Amino acid sequence: MNETEPLDHSVCKATVRPIRDALDVLNGKWKLPIIVALTFGEKRFGEIAKEIDGITDRMLSKELQDLVANGLVRRTVEDTFPIRVTYALTPHSQSLNEVIESLRKWGILHRAYLVNEEK
Amino acid sequence: MNETEPLDHSVCKATVRPIRDALDVLNGKWKLPIIVALTFGEKRFGEIAKEIDGITDRMLSKELQDLVANGLVRRTVEDTFPIRVTYALTPHSQSLNEVIESLRKWGILHRAYLVNEEK
DNA sequence: CGGTATCCCCTATGATACTG
DNA sequence: CAGTATCATAGGGGATACCG
């Protein structure tokens, strides 16, 4: 390394990568609503759909697949008739609690800040 | 209120709103890279551009405006010739530290989780 | 240097219909 | 009930050129 300049640069990238990873997992319009809906306990596909205003079957299905792929949600098919599919948060999803809580707190703080500024 | 069902529903929405607010402020491909770049100290437009791989002038300009509007970044025009514009984080942006840190930690944790699962 | 204006494309999401 | 298939659309973001 010849100069100090590239230092910032690589530190910067190394810092941002995990942050982006995290945001990517949580992103999309419906991921958080789904996760929050499931914090009240295991639910069926139709129940989640009813809980979340405006979501379509297509999006619910897609986002659930994403969450399952990321190990945050468990999908269980009960072999009844008609079949019954339930979704629930996984133990791994608990690790998100701190993240979600800090986002929630900051969202509230920031809204208060904006209201105060616009006076 | 007649049933217990609508309870989840409204609690759910009230919980999600601030979380979405927070995510909206941080979202977009470049907001975090810009914020992180500025944690190393005040920088000029061109310096930020050089720091962040792949960003175009257009996006940098647009995202900086967003960050300024949200009170996270301060823009200062120095009346020299040619003019010199510097950007720096505001005190309010410090309140994001906990959020960013928890996202960063979770990003790392989650990546480790995924690697472990795929074995 | 520090941007803005234009044009263009692609991905995320929505609407609707259909199936086991 | 629990989805998938198909089509349509808005806006986020890239490329390029230009401006004070």
Side-chain angles (χ1 to χ4, degrees), chain B residues 36-85:
Chain B
V36 171
L38 290 177
T39 60
F40 296 99
E42 149 182 325
K43 284 196 172 62
R44 302 176 61 175
F45 187 90
E47 291 175 325
I48 307 176
K50 267 191 304 179
E51 187 98 24
I52 303 174
D53 283 346
I55 195 167
T56 60
D57 286 352
R58 183 177 114 81
M59 288 311 295
L60 179 53
S61 171
K62 206 159 114 15
E63 300 289 71
L64 279 171
Q65 285 176 32
D66 241 60
L67 293 169
V68 169
N70 275 300
L72 299 174
V73 167
R74 162 179 61 76
R75 178 180 190 268
T76 309
V77 181
E78 287 171 42
D79 201 3
T80 57
F81 184 78
I83 64 166
R84 200 184 146 86
V85 181

Side-chain angles (χ1 to χ4, degrees), chain B residues 68-115:
Chain B
V68 169
N70 275 300
L72 299 174
V73 167
R74 162 179 61 76
R75 178 180 190 268
T76 309
V77 181
E78 287 171 42
D79 201 3
T80 57
F81 184 78
I83 64 166
R84 200 184 146 86
V85 181
T86 58
Y87 293 89
L89 295 180
T90 62
H92 176 53
S93 79
Q94 299 306 308
S95 64
L96 264 178
N97 288 165
E98 189 190 324
V99 176
I100 291 178
E101 185 52 21
S102 72
L103 282 168
R104 203 182 63 81
K105 281 195 318 197
W106 191 79
I108 292 169
L109 179 78
H110 182 59
R111 179 175 288 260
Y113 167 83
L114 288 179
V115 168

